[in-house]
Coordinates of all heavy atoms in Angstrom, one line a residue:
I1 N 0.8 -1.2 0.0 CA 0.0 0.0 0.0 C 0.9 1.3 0.0 O 0.6 2.2 -0.7 CB -1.0 0.0 1.2 CG1 -2.0 -1.1 1.1 CG2 -1.7 1.3 1.4 CD1 -2.9 -1.3 2.3
A2 N 1.9 1.2 0.8 CA 2.8 2.4 0.9 C 3.5 2.7 -0.5 O 3.5 3.9 -0.9 CB 3.9 2.2 2.0
R3 N 4.0 1.7 -1.1 CA 4.6 1.8 -2.4 C 3.6 2.4 -3.4 O 3.9 3.3 -4.2 CB 5.2 0.5 -2.9 CG 6.5 0.1 -2.2 CD 7.3 -0.9 -3.1 NE 6.4 -1.9 -3.6 CZ 6.3 -3.1 -3.0 NH1 7.0 -3.4 -1.9 NH2 5.5 -4.0 -3.6
F4 N 2.4 1.8 -3.4 CA 1.4 2.2 -4.4 C 1.0 3.7 -4.1 O 1.0 4.5 -5.1 CB 0.1 1.4 -4.2 CG -1.0 1.8 -5.0 CD1 -1.2 1.5 -6.3 CD2 -2.0 2.6 -4.4 CE1 -2.2 2.0 -7.1 CE2 -3.1 3.0 -5.1 CZ -3.2 2.7 -6.4
A5 N 0.8 4.1 -2.9 CA 0.4 5.5 -2.6 C 1.5 6.4 -3.0 O 1.3 7.5 -3.5 CB 0.1 5.6 -1.1
E6 N 2.8 6.1 -2.7 CA 3.9 7.0 -3.1 C 4.0 7.1 -4.6 O 4.2 8.2 -5.1 CB 5.2 6.4 -2.6 CG 6.4 7.3 -2.9 CD 7.7 6.7 -2.3 OE1 7.7 5.6 -1.7 OE2 8.7 7.3 -2.4
R7 N 3.8 6.0 -5.3 CA 3.9 6.1 -6.8 C 2.8 6.9 -7.4 O 3.0 7.6 -8.4 CB 3.8 4.6 -7.3 CG 3.9 4.6 -8.9 CD 4.0 3.1 -9.3 NE 2.8 2.4 -9.1 CZ 2.7 1.4 -8.2 NH1 3.7 1.0 -7.5 NH2 1.6 0.7 -8.1
E8 N 1.6 6.9 -6.8 CA 0.4 7.6 -7.3 C 0.3 9.0 -6.7 O -0.6 9.7 -7.1 CB -0.9 6.8 -7.0 CG -0.9 5.4 -7.7 CD -0.9 5.5 -9.2 OE1 -1.3 6.6 -9.7 OE2 -0.5 4.5 -9.9
G9 N 1.2 9.4 -5.8 CA 1.1 10.7 -5.1 C -0.1 10.8 -4.2 O -0.7 11.9 -4.1
I10 N -0.4 9.8 -3.5 CA -1.6 9.8 -2.6 C -1.1 9.8 -1.1 O -0.2 9.1 -0.8 CB -2.5 8.6 -2.8 CG1 -3.0 8.5 -4.2 CG2 -3.6 8.5 -1.8 CD1 -3.8 7.3 -4.5
E11 N -1.6 10.7 -0.3 CA -1.3 10.8 1.1 C -2.2 9.9 1.9 O -3.4 9.9 1.8 CB -1.5 12.2 1.6 CG -1.2 12.4 3.1 CD -1.6 13.7 3.6 OE1 -2.2 14.5 2.8 OE2 -1.4 14.0 4.8
L12 N -1.5 9.0 2.7 CA -2.3 8.1 3.5 C -2.5 8.8 4.9 O -1.6 9.1 5.6 CB -1.5 6.8 3.8 CG -1.2 5.9 2.5 CD1 -0.4 4.7 2.9 CD2 -2.6 5.5 1.9
I13 N -3.8 9.1 5.1 CA -4.1 9.9 6.3 C -4.4 9.0 7.5 O -4.4 9.5 8.7 CB -5.3 10.8 6.1 CG1 -6.5 10.0 5.7 CG2 -5.0 11.8 4.9 CD1 -7.8 10.8 5.7
A14 N -4.6 7.7 7.3 CA -4.8 6.8 8.5 C -4.6 5.4 8.0 O -4.7 5.1 6.8 CB -6.2 7.0 9.0
E15 N -4.3 4.6 9.0 CA -4.2 3.1 8.7 C -5.0 2.3 9.7 O -5.0 2.6 10.9 CB -2.7 2.7 8.8 CG -2.5 1.2 8.6 CD -1.1 0.7 8.9 OE1 -0.2 1.0 8.1 OE2 -0.9 0.1 10.0
F16 N -5.8 1.4 9.2 CA -6.6 0.5 10.1 C -6.2 -0.9 9.9 O -6.1 -1.4 8.7 CB -8.1 0.8 9.8 CG -8.5 2.2 10.1 CD1 -8.5 3.2 9.2 CD2 -9.0 2.4 11.4 CE1 -8.9 4.5 9.5 CE2 -9.5 3.7 11.7 CZ -9.4 4.7 10.8
V17 N -6.0 -1.7 11.0 CA -5.7 -3.1 10.9 C -6.7 -3.9 11.6 O -7.1 -3.7 12.8 CB -4.3 -3.3 11.6 CG1 -4.0 -4.8 11.6 CG2 -3.2 -2.5 10.9
E18 N -7.3 -4.8 10.9 CA -8.4 -5.7 11.4 C -7.8 -7.1 11.6 O -7.2 -7.7 10.7 CB -9.6 -5.7 10.4 CG -10.8 -6.4 11.0 CD -12.0 -5.5 11.1 OE1 -12.4 -4.9 10.0 OE2 -12.5 -5.3 12.2
V19 N -8.1 -7.7 12.7 CA -7.8 -9.1 13.0 C -9.1 -9.8 13.2 O -9.8 -9.6 14.2 CB -6.9 -9.2 14.2 CG1 -6.6 -10.7 14.5 CG2 -5.6 -8.5 14.0
E20 N -9.4 -10.8 12.3 CA -10.6 -11.5 12.4 C -10.4 -12.9 13.1 O -9.2 -13.4 13.0 CB -11.3 -11.8 11.1 CG -11.8 -10.5 10.4 CD -12.4 -10.9 9.1 OE1 -12.5 -12.1 8.7 OE2 -12.7 -9.9 8.4
T21 N -11.4 -13.4 13.7 CA -11.3 -14.8 14.2 C -12.5 -15.6 13.8 O -13.6 -15.1 13.8 CB -11.3 -14.8 15.8 OG1 -12.4 -14.1 16.3 CG2 -10.0 -14.1 16.3
G22 N -12.3 -16.8 13.3 CA -13.4 -17.6 12.9 C -13.9 -17.3 11.5 O -13.4 -16.4 10.8
K23 N -14.9 -18.0 11.1 CA -15.5 -17.9 9.8 C -16.7 -16.9 9.9 O -17.2 -16.6 10.9 CB -16.0 -19.2 9.3 CG -14.8 -20.2 9.0 CD -15.3 -21.5 8.5 CE -14.2 -22.5 8.3 NZ -14.6 -23.8 7.7
G24 N -17.2 -16.6 8.7 CA -18.4 -15.8 8.6 C -18.3 -14.4 9.1 O -19.2 -13.8 9.7
A25 N -17.1 -13.8 9.0 CA -16.9 -12.5 9.6 C -17.0 -11.4 8.5 O -16.4 -10.3 8.7 CB -15.5 -12.4 10.3
D26 N -17.7 -11.6 7.5 CA -17.8 -10.6 6.4 C -18.9 -9.5 6.7 O -18.9 -8.5 6.0 CB -18.1 -11.3 5.1 CG -16.8 -11.7 4.4 OD1 -15.8 -11.1 4.7 OD2 -16.8 -12.7 3.6
A27 N -19.8 -9.8 7.6 CA -20.8 -8.8 7.9 C -20.1 -7.6 8.5 O -19.2 -7.7 9.4 CB -21.9 -9.3 8.8
L28 N -20.5 -6.4 8.1 CA -19.8 -5.2 8.5 C -19.9 -5.0 10.0 O -19.0 -4.4 10.6 CB -20.4 -3.9 7.8 CG -19.6 -2.6 8.0 CD1 -18.2 -2.8 7.5 CD2 -20.3 -1.5 7.2
D29 N -21.0 -5.5 10.7 CA -21.1 -5.3 12.1 C -20.1 -6.2 12.9 O -19.9 -6.1 14.1 CB -22.5 -5.6 12.6 CG -23.0 -6.9 12.3 OD1 -22.3 -7.7 11.6 OD2 -24.2 -7.3 12.7
R30 N -19.5 -7.2 12.1 CA -18.5 -8.0 12.7 C -17.1 -7.6 12.2 O -16.1 -8.3 12.4 CB -18.7 -9.5 12.4 CG -20.1 -9.9 12.9 CD -20.4 -11.4 12.5 NE -19.5 -12.3 13.2 CZ -19.6 -13.6 13.0 NH1 -20.6 -14.1 12.2 NH2 -18.8 -14.4 13.6
R31 N -17.0 -6.5 11.5 CA -15.8 -5.9 11.0 C -15.7 -4.5 11.5 O -15.8 -3.5 10.7 CB -15.7 -6.0 9.5 CG -15.8 -7.3 8.9 CD -14.5 -8.0 8.7 NE -13.7 -7.3 7.7 CZ -13.8 -7.6 6.4 NH1 -14.6 -8.5 5.9 NH2 -13.1 -7.0 5.5
P32 N -15.6 -4.3 12.8 CA -15.7 -2.9 13.4 C -14.6 -2.0 12.9 O -14.8 -0.8 12.8 CB -15.6 -3.1 14.9 CG -14.9 -4.4 15.1 CD -15.4 -5.3 13.9
V33 N -13.4 -2.5 12.6 CA -12.3 -1.7 12.2 C -12.5 -1.2 10.8 O -12.3 0.0 10.4 CB -10.9 -2.5 12.2 CG1 -9.8 -1.6 11.7 CG2 -10.6 -2.9 13.7
L34 N -13.1 -2.0 9.9 CA -13.5 -1.6 8.6 C -14.6 -0.5 8.7 O -14.5 0.5 7.9 CB -14.0 -2.7 7.7 CG -14.4 -2.4 6.3 CD1 -13.4 -1.7 5.5 CD2 -14.9 -3.7 5.6

């Protein structure tokens, strides 16, 4: 992501890291970081 942003001249204003556990975690209410 950093290389891509630098190449395209995009400023990354924030970074979010999500750690999921188990299956079926695609619902947005189970992806709070997203």
Side-chain angles (χ1 to χ4, degrees):
I1 293 173
R3 286 203 311 265
F4 172 81
E6 182 179 4
R7 184 172 65 248
E8 299 295 337
I10 299 174
E11 177 191 2
L12 296 175
I13 61 172
E15 177 188 286
F16 294 89
V17 178
E18 187 119 58
V19 179
E20 292 180 4
T21 57
K23 297 181 180 179
D26 274 334
L28 192 57
D29 58 357
R30 301 177 67 179
R31 301 269 290 274
V33 177
L34 178 56

